[in-house]
Amino acid sequence: MASKGAGMSFSRKSYRLTSDAEKSRVTGIVHEKLLNDYLHRIFSSPDHVPPAATSRKPLNFQNLPEHLDQLLQVDNEDEESQGQAEGRLGPSTVVLDHTGGFEGLLLVDDDLLGVIGHSNFGTIRSTTCVYKGKWVYEVLISSQGLMQIGWCTINCRFNQEEGVGDTHNSYAYDGNRVRKWNVTTTNYGKAWAAGDIVSCLIDLDDGTLSFCLNGVSLGIAFENLSRGLGMAYFPAISLSFKESVAFNFGSRPLRYPVAGFRPLQDPPCADLVRAQRLLGCFRAVLSVELDPVEGRLVEKESSEWQLQGQPTILLTLAHIFQHFAPLLRKVYLVEAVLMSFLLGIMEKGTPAQAQSLVHQVLDLLWLFMEDYEVQDCLKQLMMSLLRLYRFSPIVPDLGLQIHYLRLTISILRHQKSRKFLLSNVLFDVLRSVVFFYIKSPLRVEEAGLQELIPTTWWPHRSSREGRESKEVNEETAEERLRRRAYERGCQRLKKRIEVVEELQVQILKLLLDNKDDNGGEASRYIFLTKFRKFLQENASGRGNMPMLCPPEYMVCFLHRLISALRYYWDEYKASNPHASFSEEAYIPPQIFYNGKVDYFDLQRLGGLLSHLRKTLKDDLASKANIVIDPLELQAATMDDLDEDDEATPAGTQRPMQALAMGGALPLPRPGWLSSPTLGRANRFLSTAAVSLMTPRRPLSTLEKVKVRTLSVEQRTREDIEGSHWNEGLLLGRPPEEPEQPLTENSLLEVLDGAVMMYNLSVHQQLGKMVGVSDDVNEYAMALRDTEDKLRRCPRRRKDILAELTKSQKVFSEKLDHLSRRLAWVHATVYSQEKMLDIYWLLRVCLRTIEHGDRTGSLFAFMPEFYLSVAINSYSALKNYFGPVHSMEELPGYEETLTRLAAILAKHFADTRIVGTDIRDSLMQALASYVCYPHSLRAVERIPEDQRIAMVRNLLAPYEQRPWAQTNWILVRLWRGCGFGYRYTRLPHLLKTKPEDANLPSLQKPCPSTLLQQHMADLLRQGSDVAPSFLNSVLNQLNWAFSEFIGMIQEIQQAAERLERNFVDSRQLKVCATCFDLSVSLLRVLEMTITLVPEIFLDWARPTSEMLLRRLAQLLNQVLNRVTAERNLFDRVVTLRLPGLESVDHYPILVAVTGILVQLLVRGQASETERATSVLLADPCFQLRSICYLLGQPEPPAPGTVLPAPDRKRFSLQSYTDYINAEELAQVEQMLTHLTFASAQAAAASLPTSEEDLCPICYAHPISAVFQPCGHKSCKACINQHLMNNKDCFFCKATIVSVEDWDKAANTSTTSSAA
């Protein structure tokens, strides 16, 4: 084994310890006097009092072992101190009692010190108790949820509802609710946060119990504890589901020791003394230099020490490490001795000197310690570093975090140590992602943010759509000064956080280094293997919290990874001109189908991978020169069929069995990395054999080379990067892709993983963190309201003034706290740099989707999450980063909007995409896209053929597909053009506060005349488009309104019952949804009639009359139901039930009015006459319903002026802010026209016998006969029936033709024949 890094290489075998006399005469060993002085200087007595030169025994390498043994002798008191201490009962090594001291379901780490709640309120205690003396233990808070931490006796009985502190003789502190518990509860202490350390102290001499938070005493919590015979107290905790902590009973040095209190587990005092003495000897080696020429010792700074291969020094170090190595495997000694020593190195000298010395110390560890010893030492060292980093208090300069990160970097810069840690520790044992997280301070006072940001300010609420919709608020001079002072404070905070972030990026740069492949695999390829497993655990473990990486960690990890990735990407571009810059990055489509990258069981756009490989095998062969082996395909298919019967691996069974029995289960690894074996991880990817043909020329059958797809663990650098005969990850390049590689293949896989990370949990966390900004807005509004009330309050009402002043003070203090927290959140999550990272990821996804789309059918192999990330990242940029940063300021903003619009327009109805969820997401994204002016204009900028194709897909019949979103899109394109349809919120809801003013449905109208024109052209030109589309719209309108009426009948019946009755909120929501659907369907019909009236009114078209009659029938039904006096609709609207806020007369009546005005007023005379006759011919028509629109109970007499509307009645004339004078005049004109026409129709109508009426509707005379069966009906009924069925309505015979029927003509024909 060799050591690299100090310019030399040493073999351990050359320095084995021996007592041969000849060794002292080896060339390079200094003369005896100098050696004696040197060894006495290094191995001085513990009290550091040097004996007289004449009296001390000469030292050489023969008698050094004896001297060293004497030096390391420890007093008997230290040896005996590790035995049983008075006042304590139980094992000397204190752990959690996972065999019998628990209640509920718990997951316990393999070191038996960490625990995760897996039931409602599980409880667990330790294996050791105390009955006398003063004792302390620490709890490291990993999550800040509901927990009760403290002490209990063995007689305490707990259950799923009662935990520590809820019974007699149990005492607890709850930092989540800031209370203390002992049967009853009172306020106590401070709120804790993840990353805090709680010290639990019990004084059984005085009978008191107290707690500390991060070393600060919270005061005595309980007094007069029960003591005496049989009373002993165990450390214990109760925690709710998903909460987690880690205990330190003394196995590691206490972070905050308290004078006079002992840890439950005694420290290894004797070993600690030995380790400190050996460390002193090692320090002496670093600070003393031999000068053999002058024969003297030279004192020097240890930071300047260089390992130069002098045999005397090496043999001296060998003797030291012979005793030191076994001690450095122990957790306590690594943290107390080695960690302190290395941190001290980082504080002295220049960074370069500190780095050099740490590097040489690690060289010595690898040189003089056995492999298993140095590996255990490094493992414990990194665990201690991570623990110190995670649980260090936040201070203004983040000095502690910076200190620990710098030492971590120094260790990882040592190549051999880095590779070992990366291969065995960082992702396997540790939550190494914690190194990339900067925890948010819950208590801004303790974090020093008050000094850093002395002046607070909070932004006014504004829309998140951009400059066009932002409210302009005049800023006073005082507000401007406060804002600028606040911004300066935010910049100071940001600069300090950037120091930490840069160190975190340096760690990832070291892990992504691919130049250190001498003597083994490069770090980057080890990282890729671990990174892919990390993604697999988080992708496959959704819903299993112990397995998942916390989303707040994932956000920070993603940003650091993007920074390191782009650094290496652009570095490669600098040395390879044919490569691309990171700004042009994307994932080539062949990665999705060549099996080189494992996507686990994640869904593809076209379905399951096994299915795609069977159905698209010909396309793979022709486009990508990939041939799937039929035998392997068959094996994969059978494997898939047998999946449900497959025996669950032991690693999966064990947790479920333990949980079922109510056990406390030791996990194989701590926290969310403790995942069972995933049985189907690489099912298809590891079993499918692929035959690959080079794309340069067609090959014969004999030249085909079978290449087996390797699992993640089996891949080598050549499998990823490729070679002269192998393209690695880019195998199977389609003809649409360029031959020149974008960058190194390994970076493509890292980029692919970054996109997957965003999809797993980053987007949800970005949305969650917006809550801080929302809290600021809510408190700011409350403060403004309170200040307004103070100004209006009479001075004589002292009581009210006092209460308002008190409220004002509370809101101001809360806003000061929240504004400082918001500054932290903006610096760590929503900064301009973070926004650019998310924007870069969005553009990567857009380019990837565009390149994948060009491959035709092979696009189906793309994982669904690429489309999801494209949609979600745009949503995050638009909604989460404002108002401080605007998406409009991003480079290439307009182009990116247009490219995303083109993707949404093309793929929302793409037949290659089969997943219901992703299709719904695309449809919803497009629906949201057309609600905002900027994004709607982007849709209008896409190529014309794509726009027309999009509108054609929107006009597909509303059958066997999710049509509600489609209809919503069409409504948004029309909103702002319809009759009285220029509102943002309904008139009756203006006085209520919307839940979120940024919802798409609450945006100002922004119609698109361009897309309306495309719709009109398609409806005119396609002979089948208009009938099928409009017939489906009418069908859905009939269904939606009928369902709505049925539901409000049930609601009315429930409300009229005498007994107390509650209407199901879900039923109310469905009822409101049906109403909204009815209104939106009516608006689509209004748009169609306005744009293409001839579809209904040009009866030269075969379906126009039928469509017009169906429309008139539905309009009359809606009007009759809504306008009847004191009817069901009126009563339900009057109730104003929560959930039915949108149900009102105005939205549905103005929609119907818009259709009627277009049919009866705005058209040509012939068309108006035709529409009038159809409307009046419908038996449901009531003129009173038309009068209701203007607030008139009865039709006015011909020639009279319409009276003023009654304010108690509904009238369109009352909504002058929403309906203009021209529209009101058209309604009056329509009423006058219908009044006159109905009077004429009544005078001209002749009585009809029942025999001559249509036997289907009994409303119209018989006018059609069916051939060949001869049955009869009116034309409207048979035409509507034939839209969906070709069988006779009566005898079910197939109808061949329909002929006109005239009773008089047929009667005369029959008579003449007779």
Side-chain angles (χ1 to χ4, degrees):
M1 180 170 55
S3 173
K4 305 171 184 62
M8 304 185 67
S9 178
F10 306 103
S11 171
R12 295 185 59 180
K13 296 179 180 179
S14 302
Y15 298 100
R16 57 186 176 86
L17 302 182
T18 179
S19 59
D20 293 341
E22 290 79 6
K23 276 292 177 186
S24 63
R25 294 189 291 271
V26 172
T27 303
I29 302 295
V30 298
H31 58 78
E32 292 182 1
K33 181 180 182 305
L34 183 58
L35 177 61
N36 176 60
D37 293 342
Y38 178 72
L39 293 179
H40 273 290
R41 172 68 180 82
I42 300 301
F43 301 101
S44 59
S45 59
D47 54 7
H48 300 288
V49 178
T54 56
S55 63
R56 68 186 184 187
K57 180 180 177 181
L59 276 181
N60 54 43
F61 288 121
Q62 282 72 42
N63 59 17
L64 180 59
E66 180 184 353
H67 176 79
L68 196 52
D69 289 340
Q70 294 177 355
L71 181 68
L72 297 179
Q73 284 184 356
V74 180
D75 296 338
N76 292 334
E77 294 181 3
D78 290 334
E79 293 282 4
E80 293 174 358
S81 66
Q82 294 182 238
Q84 182 63 47
E86 185 182 4
R88 181 179 63 195
L89 294 174
S92 58
T93 300
V94 186
V95 294
L96 296 174
D97 187 359
H98 70 290
T99 58
F102 64 89
E103 172 64 37
L105 303 180
L106 300 157
L107 301 176
V108 182
D109 289 349
D110 56 353
D111 62 358
L112 301 183
L113 293 174
V115 62
I116 303 172
H118 209 70
S119 60
N120 185 40
F121 204 50
T123 301
I124 192 169
R125 64 171 185 262
S126 71
T127 56
T128 299
C129 60
V130 293
Y131 62 90
K132 180 181 178 182
K134 300 179 180 181
W135 304 91
V136 62
Y137 71 92
E138 291 181 343
V139 181
L140 285 62
I141 306 296
S142 300
S143 61
Q144 63 188 44
L146 179 59
M147 295 179 283
Q148 293 175 197
I149 302 171
W151 305 80
C152 72
T153 65
I154 198 168
N155 295 321
C156 293
R157 294 292 177 262
F158 305 114
N159 54 44
Q160 294 290 299
E161 301 297 330
E162 294 183 341
V164 180
D166 297 325
T167 64
H168 290 287
N169 297 324
S170 69
Y171 307 88
Y173 161 50
D174 176 2
N176 177 262
R177 292 174 288 189
V178 197
R179 306 183 75 82
K180 61 181 180 180
W181 298 81
N182 175 235
V183 182
T184 60
T185 179
T186 55
N187 294 332
Y188 174 79
K190 299 179 181 179
W192 62 35
D196 285 344
I197 296 179
V198 175
S199 302
C200 304
L201 301 92
I202 188 168
D203 184 347
L204 291 170
D205 297 335
D206 293 338
T208 61
L209 196 151
S210 57
F211 298 90
C212 299
L213 186 63
N214 295 327
V216 178
S217 175
L218 302 178
I220 294 177
F222 303 101
E223 297 178 309
N224 302 319
L225 301 184
S226 299
R227 291 169 287 172
L229 188 64
M231 296 302 297
Y233 291 90
F234 292 83
I237 183 174
S238 298
L239 64 173
S240 58
F241 186 59
K242 299 180 183 178
E243 305 303 333
S244 61
V245 298
F247 285 82
N248 181 14
F249 298 112
S251 60
R252 300 182 303 274
L254 294 180
R255 189 65 182 277
Y256 301 105
V258 181
F261 286 79
R262 295 180 59 180
L264 264 74
Q265 179 174 327
D266 288 325
C269 296
D271 286 341
L272 183 59
V273 171
R274 295 188 185 100
Q276 288 171 340
R277 290 177 183 176
L278 288 167
L279 179 63
C281 297
F282 184 63
R283 288 178 184 273
V285 172
L286 300 182
S287 60
V288 176
E289 187 176 292
L290 284 167
D291 187 351
V293 177
E294 298 186 8
R296 65 187 181 91
L297 304 179
V298 180
E299 298 286 341
K300 62 182 298 183
E301 288 292 332
S302 59
S303 59
E304 301 175 3
W305 186 79
Q306 292 291 328
L307 179 60
Q308 297 175 349
Q310 294 174 327
T312 302
I313 296 176
L314 292 174
L315 285 170
T316 303
L317 289 170
H319 281 84
I320 293 174
F321 276 97
Q322 184 183 20
H323 297 272
F324 207 7
L327 298 176
L328 290 181
R329 296 182 62 200
K330 299 183 179 181
V331 179
Y332 195 100
L333 300 179
V334 168
E335 191 164 324
V337 178
L338 182 60
M339 173 74 71
S340 301
F341 169 63
L342 294 176
L343 288 173
I345 291 176
M346 301 304 297
E347 293 174 354
K348 298 177 182 178
T350 64
Q353 289 175 332
Q355 172 63 50
S356 174
L357 187 54
V358 171
H359 199 284
Q360 292 179 87
V361 170
L362 293 172
D363 275 339
L364 294 174
L365 293 182
W366 283 102
L367 180 62
F368 292 110
M369 295 172 66
E370 297 292 339
D371 282 356
Y372 69 91
E373 292 174 334
V374 69
Q375 288 170 4
D376 284 350
C377 176
L378 285 173
K379 173 183 172 182
Q380 300 300 340
L381 182 62
M382 291 305 294
M383 290 180 68
S384 298
L385 262 177
L386 184 138
R387 194 178 298 112
L388 288 170
Y389 174 80
R390 184 182 184 191
F391 292 99
S392 293
I394 297 291
V395 293
D397 62 351
L398 297 168
L400 295 173
Q401 286 77 6
I402 291 172
H403 200 41
Y404 300 136
L405 286 176
R406 283 177 175 163
L407 178 55
T408 304
I409 292 171
S410 296
I411 294 172
L412 292 176
R413 278 182 175 153
H414 187 266
Q415 180 179 316
K416 191 170 187 177
S417 301
R418 176 173 71 249
K419 289 187 179 181
F420 163 73
L421 292 170
L422 193 49
S423 299
N424 301 283
V425 178
L426 290 181
F427 284 91
D428 296 284
V429 179
L430 298 182
R431 293 184 177 188
S432 57
V433 178
V434 174
F435 277 125
F436 311 113
Y437 175 59
I438 305 177
K439 65 180 181 181
S440 175
L442 185 64
R443 298 171 296 276
V444 298
E445 300 84 5
E446 296 177 17
L449 293 186
Q450 286 180 329
E451 294 76 20
L452 202 61
I453 310 175
T455 305
T456 58
W457 172 83
W458 40 90
H460 295 285
R461 175 180 288 275
S462 62
S463 173
R464 293 169 183 157
E465 168 55 16
R467 294 192 184 97
E468 282 187 8
S469 54
K470 287 184 179 178
E471 297 178 4
V472 179
N473 294 313
E474 291 297 329
E475 193 176 42
T476 63
E478 181 183 356
E479 287 178 341
R480 188 180 305 109
L481 290 174
R482 284 184 59 198
R483 174 175 58 80
R484 290 175 178 173
Y486 176 75
E487 289 173 351
R488 287 193 296 271
C490 293
Q491 283 300 317
R492 288 192 293 269
L493 174 63
K494 182 181 176 184
K495 287 179 180 178
R496 297 185 180 186
I497 289 176
E498 284 174 349
V499 175
V500 177
E501 292 177 346
E502 180 55 36
L503 293 173
Q504 294 170 333
V505 172
Q506 286 183 35
I507 292 177
L508 272 172
K509 286 179 181 178
L510 290 170
L511 301 184
L512 287 174
D513 184 10
N514 68 336
K515 305 281 194 306
D516 58 351
D517 55 351
N518 49 333
E521 193 175 11
S523 298
R524 181 182 298 175
Y525 306 103
I526 305 174
F527 174 83
L528 278 178
T529 301
K530 302 299 180 181
F531 183 47
R532 213 69 198 175
K533 285 186 176 180
F534 167 79
L535 293 173
Q536 179 179 355
E537 288 175 340
N538 284 275
S540 305
R542 291 190 176 186
N544 186 0
M545 285 303 295
M547 190 185 299
L548 296 181
C549 171
E552 59 269 23
Y553 295 3
M554 196 81 90
V555 172
C556 296
F557 184 28
L558 175 66
H559 287 298
R560 312 304 176 264
L561 186 63
I562 289 175
S563 298
L565 170 62
R566 297 192 66 176
Y567 167 81
Y568 278 112
W569 193 299
D570 292 330
E571 183 185 64
Y572 181 81
K573 166 64 179 176
S575 58
N576 296 270
H578 296 294
S580 65
F581 288 103
S582 61
E583 275 298 328
E584 304 162 357
Y586 69 93
I587 303 296
Q590 59 265 41
I591 287 180
F592 304 133
Y593 56 73
N594 65 16
K596 294 296 182 181
V597 176
D598 187 357
Y599 287 104
F600 332 125
D601 55 353
L602 295 179
Q603 190 79 356
R604 309 297 182 101
L605 293 177
L608 291 175
L609 179 62
S610 57
H611 169 73
L612 292 174
R613 282 183 165 172
K614 286 188 296 182
T615 56
L616 298 178
K617 59 182 180 180
D618 293 337
D619 292 334
L620 282 172
S622 60
K623 296 181 180 180
N625 298 313
I626 294 180
V627 179
I628 305 296
D629 190 330
L631 295 177
E632 293 291 341
L633 267 180
Q634 185 179 2
T637 304
M638 295 304 295
D639 195 27
D640 190 34
L641 290 175
D642 295 339
E643 182 186 38
D644 295 336
D645 300 328
E646 180 181 300
T648 307
T652 306
Q653 287 180 345
R654 185 182 175 198
M656 298 309 295
Q657 291 169 352
L659 292 178
M661 295 184 293
L665 171 70
L667 291 178
R669 281 177 284 164
W672 42 265
L673 289 182
S674 305
S675 63
T677 303
L678 299 173
R680 197 192 167 201
N682 301 312
R683 168 85 36 121
F684 301 111
L685 293 173
S686 62
T687 57
V690 186
S691 297
L692 299 167
M693 299 183 294
T694 174
R696 297 180 181 86
R697 59 186 178 88
L699 300 179
S700 65
T701 307
L702 296 177
E703 292 176 289
K704 292 179 181 178
V705 180
K706 287 190 177 181
V707 179
R708 186 174 180 80
T709 303
L710 301 176
S711 64
V712 174
E713 296 86 351
Q714 295 172 315
R715 295 187 309 174
T716 64
R717 176 170 185 160
E718 186 177 295
D719 294 319
I720 297 173
E721 301 292 1
S723 61
H724 65 281
W725 57 271
N726 176 14
E727 292 182 273
L729 292 185
L730 299 182
L731 215 55
R733 180 179 60 83
E736 297 83 3
E737 283 298 298
E739 292 187 13
Q740 293 295 336
L742 295 172
T743 186
E744 295 170 285
N745 292 354
S746 53
L747 296 181
L748 293 174
E749 186 170 342
V750 175
L751 175 58
D752 176 76
V755 177
M756 191 187 299
M757 280 175 61
Y758 185 90
N759 182 65
L760 291 177
S761 58
V762 171
H763 180 72
Q764 292 85 341
Q765 182 65 16
L766 289 178
K768 180 180 177 181
M769 296 303 291
V770 176
V772 179
S773 179
D774 292 339
D775 289 344
V776 169
N777 287 325
E778 289 180 8
Y779 276 99
M781 290 177 63
L783 179 61
R784 285 195 294 270
D785 291 343
T786 305
E787 290 172 346
D788 289 341
K789 292 176 182 176
L790 272 172
R791 284 192 291 268
R792 296 197 306 268
C793 181
R795 299 296 99 183
R796 65 179 183 276
R797 296 303 305 268
K798 303 294 183 182
D799 53 340
I800 298 178
L801 284 172
E803 288 297 321
L804 289 175
T805 305
K806 183 179 178 181
S807 299
Q808 182 188 30
K809 181 181 178 182
V810 170
F811 291 144
S812 297
E813 291 176 352
K814 188 66 175 178
L815 274 170
D816 287 342
H817 171 84
L818 285 174
S819 64
R820 292 186 175 102
R821 275 203 71 199
L822 185 62
W824 185 280
V825 171
H826 278 157
T828 56
V829 181
Y830 298 124
S831 68
Q832 180 72 20
E833 292 75 18
K834 310 298 185 301
M835 188 178 191
L836 288 171
D837 285 345
I838 304 301
Y839 184 59
W840 180 74
L841 216 55
L842 166 62
R843 291 166 68 91
V844 166
C845 290
L846 295 182
R847 280 188 289 267
T848 301
I849 295 167
E850 290 167 352
H851 281 262
D853 181 41
R854 295 171 195 160
T855 62
S857 58
L858 299 184
F859 179 61
F861 282 94
M862 179 179 291
E864 285 185 352
F865 66 78
Y866 273 88
L867 280 171
S868 298
V869 171
I871 295 169
N872 291 333
S873 57
Y874 167 73
S875 174
L877 291 168
K878 182 167 67 75
N879 296 321
Y880 300 157
F881 286 84
V884 179
H885 304 294
S886 172
M887 189 179 177
E888 300 169 30
E889 301 168 358
L890 296 171
Y893 163 73
E894 298 288 345
E895 178 206 359
T896 302
L897 277 186
T898 305
R899 293 171 72 176
L900 179 57
I903 287 172
L904 295 177
K906 181 171 185 178
H907 297 299
F908 83 93
D910 193 339
T911 55
R912 296 171 294 181
I913 302 175
V914 300
T916 304
D917 291 341
I918 191 62
R919 290 177 69 92
D920 287 348
S921 296
L922 286 166
M923 182 69 77
Q924 291 171 12
L926 183 60
S928 175
Y929 221 68
V930 299
C931 291
Y932 300 91
H934 283 96
S935 48
L936 179 59
R937 301 299 168 251
V939 175
E940 294 177 343
R941 288 196 300 268
I942 66 177
E944 183 177 0
D945 58 334
Q946 293 185 21
R947 292 198 305 268
I948 294 174
M950 178 191 76
V951 175
R952 182 180 288 109
N953 288 323
L954 291 174
L955 295 179
Y958 287 3
E959 295 165 357
Q960 298 180 354
R961 71 186 184 97
W963 56 268
Q965 287 290 351
T966 301
N967 195 76
W968 168 251
I969 294 172
L970 293 175
V971 167
R972 287 301 308 189
L973 299 179
W974 176 246
R975 190 171 183 176
C977 298
F979 182 92
Y981 199 37
R982 293 170 291 277
Y983 56 82
T984 300
R985 298 189 66 205
L986 291 169
H988 68 286
L989 295 179
L990 285 179
K991 295 181 180 179
T992 62
K993 178 183 176 183
E995 294 182 2
D996 186 357
N998 294 294
L999 289 173
S1001 58
L1002 297 179
Q1003 302 309 305
K1004 294 179 180 179
C1006 51
S1008 172
T1009 54
L1010 177 62
L1011 297 178
Q1012 290 176 20
Q1013 188 58 48
H1014 289 326
M1015 178 180 173
D1017 294 340
L1018 287 171
L1019 290 173
R1020 284 193 188 97
Q1021 295 167 5
S1023 57
D1024 297 330
V1025 174
S1028 59
F1029 170 69
L1030 291 172
N1031 189 58
S1032 66
V1033 172
L1034 293 169
N1035 287 339
Q1036 299 299 348
L1037 175 59
N1038 184 40
W1039 167 83
F1041 191 73
S1042 300
E1043 287 291 315
F1044 168 70
I1045 294 299
M1047 288 183 184
I1048 62 174
Q1049 286 175 345
E1050 296 177 7
I1051 293 170
Q1052 175 65 21
Q1053 292 170 3
E1056 289 177 347
R1057 294 189 186 122
L1058 295 178
E1059 64 272 17
R1060 189 175 181 84
N1061 209 335
F1062 296 96
V1063 182
D1064 187 0
S1065 59
R1066 289 175 297 179
Q1067 184 181 7
L1068 294 175
K1069 186 176 181 180
V1070 172
C1071 179
T1073 301
C1074 288
F1075 179 79
D1076 294 338
L1077 287 174
S1078 301
V1079 174
S1080 64
L1081 289 164
L1082 286 168
R1083 287 297 184 181
V1084 169
L1085 289 170
E1086 179 193 16
M1087 175 172 61
T1088 307
I1089 294 172
T1090 304
L1091 297 176
V1092 200
E1094 59 268 27
I1095 293 178
F1096 289 90
L1097 301 174
D1098 182 6
W1099 284 10
R1101 293 171 175 260
T1103 57
S1104 293
E1105 182 182 357
M1106 182 272 296
L1107 289 173
L1108 184 59
R1109 291 187 184 280
R1110 286 200 66 192
L1111 177 64
Q1113 180 185 12
L1114 285 171
L1115 294 179
N1116 284 326
Q1117 287 179 6
V1118 171
L1119 283 173
N1120 292 342
R1121 289 284 191 177
V1122 176
T1123 62
E1125 292 291 337
R1126 300 182 183 84
N1127 67 348
L1128 183 64
F1129 187 88
D1130 269 338
R1131 290 196 293 270
V1132 170
V1133 169
T1134 305
L1135 289 175
R1136 292 296 177 197
L1137 296 174
L1140 293 182
E1141 292 87 357
S1142 63
V1143 178
D1144 192 67
H1145 292 84
Y1146 180 84
I1148 195 165
L1149 287 181
V1150 291
V1152 172
T1153 304
I1155 297 174
L1156 292 175
V1157 165
Q1158 186 61 41
L1159 289 172
L1160 303 175
V1161 177
R1162 296 176 181 170
Q1164 299 178 4
S1166 59
E1167 295 174 344
T1168 301
E1169 182 180 351
R1170 196 171 296 148
T1172 303
S1173 63
V1174 170
L1175 187 66
L1176 296 180
D1178 186 83
C1180 297
F1181 173 77
Q1182 296 182 20
L1183 186 60
R1184 179 193 54 77
S1185 297
I1186 308 298
C1187 299
Y1188 184 93
L1189 299 176
L1190 294 175
Q1192 307 302 326
E1194 296 296 337
T1200 60
V1201 180
L1202 290 174
D1206 185 353
R1207 291 188 177 181
K1208 295 182 180 180
R1209 302 174 60 87
F1210 173 86
S1211 173
L1212 295 179
Q1213 295 172 329
S1214 303
Y1215 296 90
T1216 53
D1217 291 339
Y1218 298 87
I1219 303 173
N1220 58 39
E1222 181 184 357
E1223 289 172 333
L1224 281 174
Q1226 291 173 344
V1227 176
E1228 295 173 0
Q1229 182 181 348
M1230 177 185 69
L1231 178 57
T1232 303
H1233 170 73
L1234 286 176
T1235 303
F1236 178 76
S1238 60
Q1240 282 190 327
S1245 61
L1246 298 174
T1248 304
S1249 66
E1250 186 173 342
E1251 296 178 355
D1252 297 333
L1253 289 177
C1254 169
I1256 298 177
C1257 66
Y1258 287 95
H1260 304 289
I1262 294 173
S1263 57
V1265 59
F1266 318 155
Q1267 299 297 340
C1269 62
H1271 288 104
K1272 306 177 186 66
S1273 76
C1274 66
K1275 287 185 179 180
C1277 288
I1278 189 56
N1279 286 339
Q1280 183 175 346
H1281 177 69
L1282 291 178
M1283 289 290 294
N1284 303 305
N1285 198 328
K1286 300 300 181 183
D1287 296 337
C1288 175
F1289 189 84
F1290 304 99
C1291 65
K1292 304 305 179 185
T1294 301
I1295 298 176
V1296 177
S1297 62
V1298 177
E1299 299 177 358
D1300 292 340
W1301 169 260
D1302 187 342
K1303 181 178 180 181
N1306 280 274
T1307 302
S1308 61
T1309 303
T1310 304
S1311 302
S1312 61

